[in-house]
Amino acid sequence: MIRCWRLDDERQTLVLGTAHEALAQVVYWGARLPDHEDLGTLLAAHEIDRTGGMLDATPELSLCPEASRTFPGHPGMELSRSDGQSLLPSFTFCRAEEARFSLTLDYSDAVHGLRYRAHFSLDAQTHVLTSHARLTSDEPVYLRWLAAPVMPCPQQADEMVDFSGRWCGEFQMNRTAWTAGIRLRENRTGRTGHEHFPGLLIPARGANATSGEVWAFHFGWSGGHRMVAEALPDGRRQVQFGLAPGLLLDQVTDFTTPRLYMTYSDEGVNGCAVAFQRHVRERIVTWPSPDKPRPVHYNCWEAIYFEQSLDVLKDIATLAASLGAERFVLDDGWFEGRDDDRGGLSLWEVDRRKYPQGLDPLIAHVRGEGMDFGIWIEPEMISPDAPLLRAHPDWVLGGPDQILGRHQLVLDLANPKVQSHLFGCLSRLLTAHDISYVKWDHNRVLPYPDGAQTLGTYALMDRLRSSFPQLELESCASGGGRVDFGILERTHRLWLSDTNDALERLRIQYAASIFLPLAVTGSHVGPRQCPTSGRHLDMGFRAWVAAQRHMGIEMDPRELTCAEFRRLKEVIDWWRANRTWMFRADLLRLESNDPAIIAEQHLHEDGEKFVVFAGKAATSDQIAPRPLRLTRLKATKSYRVALLNRNEAPALSRGSPLLKSHSAVFSGAYLMNNGLTLPWSFPESLWVVEGQLL
Ligand code: DGJ
């Protein structure tokens, strides 16, 4: 019997179908199809031809391709019985549950006592398609691999783009040509990791930031994943995302994959980026006070590191508040035994040598300066010399001869006793003090992959949040080592990178905006000399790069010259005046004709205004800046455009380009087709252009 289903929003259609009782396959995912399209015909047309050397029927690239049907590529599921014998399931259709924007398909394998479910839901407002797969079994099984529902990949693409990175160098984009076989990304570190952000873009030939077709994927899981992008011998292509094999150490009878988030756009990478940004902001993050503006942060890490003293911190807090900071985050070093990163992770008790009267005097001072108080913790970790470990040696993950990371061990969060202990420590800390924000760090990889650890962390965060509903959390893992939609279900801000070097940040946050909105992306003004790169950068550049995201300061404000102080305050004032609309704005990548320029446009949700940040990351080859074309404006309408920081033009900019001295009115058509002609500038500087719809 032929069965077909479809899900549609205004811009995309997903069609699934099967001609017999086996697992359905995605027969179409792309631009919206008309309502009258005959799905049975699409299913029939999806069938590829066969020629010599092939089987007598084509094994389906189904939602979970089955080895039992001689599928010629990576199967969607790999499992074995308790005795180690591999199982080769073969599922048949049971039922479908269809709603306007969701679809659940149930299958069973009676021989092996297994049931498989694929679920899809399409968000008509954000255009994000979310799926997961579930396997249940009569008997416990070892599940080595279960992909979220498997998607075919378009043939119009020559390449794929995925992401790698390192400490202080997150979100590096890799372009790989589609060739025979598998591009496999596998993260066995036990956290999302800098190295393998779980995202993938499939741009059709010719697609760029602003135009063309792009299919995008993100796997919302914080414990390590595997991505398989495979070109089969017959030319078909598949994409699979699942937990990294080996993460499920125990046998299971019921397992659901994390969510796979997908979107299709015919407006280039920006179409996907906007979908993900809005979905994160509106659907994934749960804000305790959604209408409260994002506060300007002050974080003391790169100011003082572990050398905390009440008097110095009070001075710093006063200066930070006078710059416009609204939240003061006390970073690592406030608790017992923490004079460097070699010890102290254990009980989360205030260090009475540094704070003889506890944290209250500092908190009172910070509150008196009109700021919220936040604090750093790293609850999943423990120092090897912690007395707690002597009492509970079995609370640690990994063996005695394991290699330490940042001199620390990992607590076994799958152990309910460990979770209760940590909940006790943290809830005591939060109950005893006026703390509204926690920066939650995770500075080493796990000794071995273990998915139960991630679920334990999720459970602890969930419990803490339900006990302290007004609490906001920041996800940090040596910078951007735990950035994904799974952690964002529980947190409100991401520490995207440990580099506060504005030049490096410019690139990192530009790439990350394919998935992340301003609302959750922290970005700080670092010290004059960046401690992680050694670079000296001008205050204007540092401040504007931070102002592109959720702005903060992370340096010793006592180092500021009067001019730097004034400049920084001006930018913070500007950010505070604009943050409400920028919180909801779409971050759009601009296609610059000059590779030295990294430029983006924040567009008001109703299109009534925009701000363009055009960063100059290197010296240009040509003399004059090439016009920078804007995007998504109303072609026939007019905009008043002004170069906000024209006073930053260097003396070597000797000419008189219009925007250097005047604001001007242009049509959207001109701004999108010709673009803005900006003044000459130094590398490591950034132009800020405001536009208002008239
Ligand atoms: C790593 C983080 O990414 C930094 O911001 C800082 O919090 C340190 N850990 C503290 O140890």
Side-chain angles (χ1 to χ4, degrees):
M1 177 183 170
I2 290 183
R3 292 192 179 84
C4 292
W5 303 271
R6 68 183 284 172
L7 290 174
D8 304 276
D9 63 18
E10 276 169 16
R11 77 179 195 198
Q12 66 194 323
T13 296
L14 174 76
V15 179
L16 297 105
T18 171
H20 45 83
E21 298 304 302
L23 289 166
Q25 43 185 337
V26 172
V27 299
Y28 178 86
W29 177 35
R32 176 72 151 93
L33 297 175
D35 290 344
H36 59 75
E37 191 81 55
D38 187 89
L39 303 187
T41 306
L42 296 195
L43 177 63
H46 190 66
E47 176 73 28
I48 58 170
D49 201 359
R50 290 185 302 284
T51 178
M54 294 176 78
L55 295 169
D56 297 339
T58 307
E60 299 83 0
L61 199 174
S62 72
L63 294 173
C64 186
E66 292 164 314
S68 60
R69 290 188 62 80
T70 332
F71 182 68
H74 196 286
M77 179 186 300
E78 285 181 288
L79 72 171
S80 58
R81 280 206 303 245
S82 328
D83 61 7
Q85 196 190 331
S86 291
L87 293 176
L88 291 181
S90 181
F91 288 99
T92 50
F93 180 77
C94 296
R95 76 188 68 79
E97 207 178 297
E98 236 181 322
R100 175 132 184 247
F101 293 112
S102 70
L103 175 66
T104 305
L105 299 176
D106 282 314
Y107 298 85
S108 72
D109 172 341
V111 174
H112 297 104
L114 299 169
R115 286 155 301 281
Y116 171 83
R117 167 176 286 184
H119 176 80
F120 290 89
S121 63
L122 180 57
D123 192 307
Q125 268 85 46
T126 65
H127 306 297
V128 169
L129 179 65
T130 306
S131 73
H132 63 256
R134 179 177 179 192
L135 179 77
T136 52
S137 165
D138 292 343
E139 300 294 331
V141 289
Y142 287 109
L143 187 55
R144 288 194 298 278
W145 174 247
L146 177 63
V150 175
M151 301 298 282
C153 248
Q155 303 277 328
Q156 303 88 302
D158 294 326
E159 41 183 36
M160 63 186 103
V161 181
D162 59 21
F163 299 81
S164 57
R166 58 168 165 79
W167 179 68
C168 288
E170 294 83 347
F171 281 91
Q172 299 175 23
M173 292 169 75
N174 304 299
R175 290 184 173 271
T176 311
W178 278 99
T179 48
I182 289 177
R183 165 117 176 123
L184 182 116
R185 297 296 306 273
E186 191 163 298
N187 168 11
R188 303 178 60 77
T189 65
R191 60 178 187 183
T192 328
H194 305 77
E195 306 83 359
H196 308 278
F197 174 76
L200 176 68
L201 305 177
I202 311 286
R205 185 175 305 145
N208 61 20
T210 55
S211 66
E213 289 184 292
V214 183
W215 290 258
F217 300 81
H218 169 69
F219 192 57
W221 165 246
S222 317
H225 75 289
R226 173 187 273 185
M227 177 198 91
V228 174
E230 182 175 22
L232 301 175
D234 56 36
R236 290 177 297 167
R237 295 167 172 178
Q238 63 163 340
V239 166
Q240 300 190 6
F241 276 93
L243 255 58
L247 278 184
L248 294 178
L249 301 173
D250 296 328
Q251 298 181 69
V252 295
T253 53
D254 188 345
F255 177 75
T256 302
T257 66
R259 294 186 184 96
L260 177 61
Y261 297 90
M262 298 166 275
T263 191
Y264 159 82
S265 150
D266 61 359
E267 294 179 292
V269 174
N270 282 341
C272 299
V274 167
F276 283 141
Q277 291 165 14
R278 291 183 183 180
H279 201 76
V280 166
R281 198 178 58 227
E282 311 294 337
R283 305 286 191 263
I284 291 183
V285 177
T286 46
W287 306 98
S289 310
D291 297 329
K292 196 174 151 211
R294 302 279 75 213
V296 176
H297 272 223
Y298 177 80
N299 180 297
C300 66
W301 178 243
E302 289 198 348
I304 53 166
Y305 297 102
F306 295 101
E307 283 173 34
Q308 299 192 357
S309 92
L310 181 59
D311 289 341
V312 167
L313 282 166
K314 277 174 151 180
D315 285 352
I316 287 179
T318 300
L319 282 168
S322 64
L323 280 164
E326 297 156 305
R327 175 179 282 156
F328 181 95
V329 181
L330 182 65
D331 212 281
D332 195 356
W334 59 268
F335 45 94
E336 267 175 21
R338 192 65 169 171
D339 292 334
D340 54 34
D341 64 6
R342 305 188 76 89
L345 300 170
S346 177
L347 293 176
W348 309 105
E349 303 273 3
V350 180
D351 185 341
R352 295 277 165 175
R353 289 171 310 142
K354 295 178 187 170
Y355 301 98
Q357 294 158 286
L359 290 177
D360 287 341
L362 177 61
I363 297 178
H365 181 84
V366 164
R367 302 285 301 160
E369 293 289 353
M371 296 185 284
D372 292 348
F373 187 82
I375 201 158
W376 179 97
I377 55 169
E378 194 179 9
E380 294 142 282
M381 303 293 158
I382 190 156
S383 300
D385 59 356
L388 186 71
L389 264 192
R390 287 197 283 283
H392 303 286
D394 58 322
W395 280 14
V396 145
L397 213 58
D401 58 348
Q402 65 174 283
I403 301 175
L404 300 185
R406 212 192 189 203
H407 318 288
Q408 62 203 41
L409 292 158
V410 186
L411 286 169
D412 177 6
L413 267 283
N415 180 342
K417 289 187 191 143
V418 173
Q419 276 194 35
S420 301
H421 161 76
L422 289 174
F423 179 77
C425 293
L426 300 180
S427 58
R428 269 194 302 281
L429 178 70
L430 297 174
T431 307
H433 301 97
D434 184 2
I435 296 175
S436 57
Y437 187 80
V438 160
K439 176 179 173 187
W440 187 305
D441 212 339
H442 185 291
N443 281 303
R444 59 156 289 177
V445 299
L446 303 191
Y448 53 80
D450 181 1
Q453 177 75 5
T454 309
L455 297 178
T457 300
Y458 284 172
L460 179 61
M461 285 182 167
D462 292 346
R463 188 170 168 201
L464 211 61
R465 286 200 53 208
S466 78
S467 301
F468 300 90
Q470 286 307 309
L471 184 69
E472 284 194 20
L473 299 181
E474 171 169 326
S475 173
C476 171
S478 300
R482 192 150 63 183
V483 169
D484 63 83
F485 293 4
I487 207 73
L488 277 169
E489 285 180 30
R490 297 154 174 101
T491 55
H492 308 89
R493 191 178 198 254
L494 301 166
W495 188 229
L496 190 60
S497 179
D498 266 356
T499 180
N500 285 319
D501 176 316
L503 191 59
E504 295 175 349
R505 258 311 159 113
L506 184 68
R507 183 203 59 74
I508 296 170
Q509 62 196 24
Y510 178 73
S513 69
I514 297 172
F515 301 91
L516 305 173
L518 171 148
V520 300
T521 313
S523 192
H524 294 173
V525 179
R528 191 178 300 126
Q529 180 178 21
C530 174
T532 57
S533 70
R535 220 175 248 123
H536 287 80
L537 292 166
D538 174 67
M539 174 52 80
F541 186 52
R542 279 183 279 156
W544 284 121
V545 169
Q548 288 180 269
R549 297 294 183 272
H550 181 186
M551 188 170 192
I553 313 163
E554 183 172 338
M555 45 113 108
D556 190 337
R558 295 172 303 176
E559 80 168 29
L560 294 171
T561 63
C562 292
E564 285 172 337
F565 190 97
R566 247 194 334 272
R567 192 80 201 102
L568 178 53
K569 182 156 171 36
E570 275 165 15
V571 177
I572 290 174
D573 287 348
W574 177 89
W575 192 84
R576 286 174 55 161
N578 285 277
R579 64 182 156 190
T580 305
W581 75 265
M582 282 172 63
F583 175 83
R584 304 188 59 78
D586 297 326
L587 309 187
L588 303 166
R589 305 154 75 77
L590 296 178
E591 278 293 333
S592 167
N593 297 313
D594 179 349
I597 303 296
I598 298 178
E600 67 183 27
Q601 175 185 323
H602 296 211
L603 183 62
H604 187 282
E605 59 178 332
D606 298 330
E608 69 185 43
K609 58 172 119 178
F610 63 80
V611 58
V612 169
F613 296 94
K616 192 159 177 184
T619 306
S620 299
D621 289 346
Q622 79 292 347
I623 294 174
R626 299 191 197 283
L628 180 64
R629 294 165 83 168
L630 308 193
T631 189
R632 292 197 179 201
L633 302 181
K634 299 180 201 317
T636 55
K637 302 279 183 184
S638 296
Y639 295 82
R640 176 163 296 283
V641 172
L643 182 58
L644 181 64
N645 58 340
R646 59 193 190 206
N647 59 344
E648 288 179 17
L652 266 179
S653 157
R654 299 189 304 134
S656 334
L658 178 65
L659 289 175
K660 208 169 128 186
S661 50
H662 292 86
S663 67
V665 174
F666 303 101
S667 69
Y670 175 85
L671 292 171
M672 292 190 289
N673 295 322
N674 181 85
L676 288 167
T677 302
L678 293 164
W680 187 93
S681 60
F682 286 142
E684 297 163 8
S685 66
L686 189 146
W687 289 129
V688 186
V689 180
E690 288 182 309
Q692 178 70 48
L693 180 69
L694 298 177

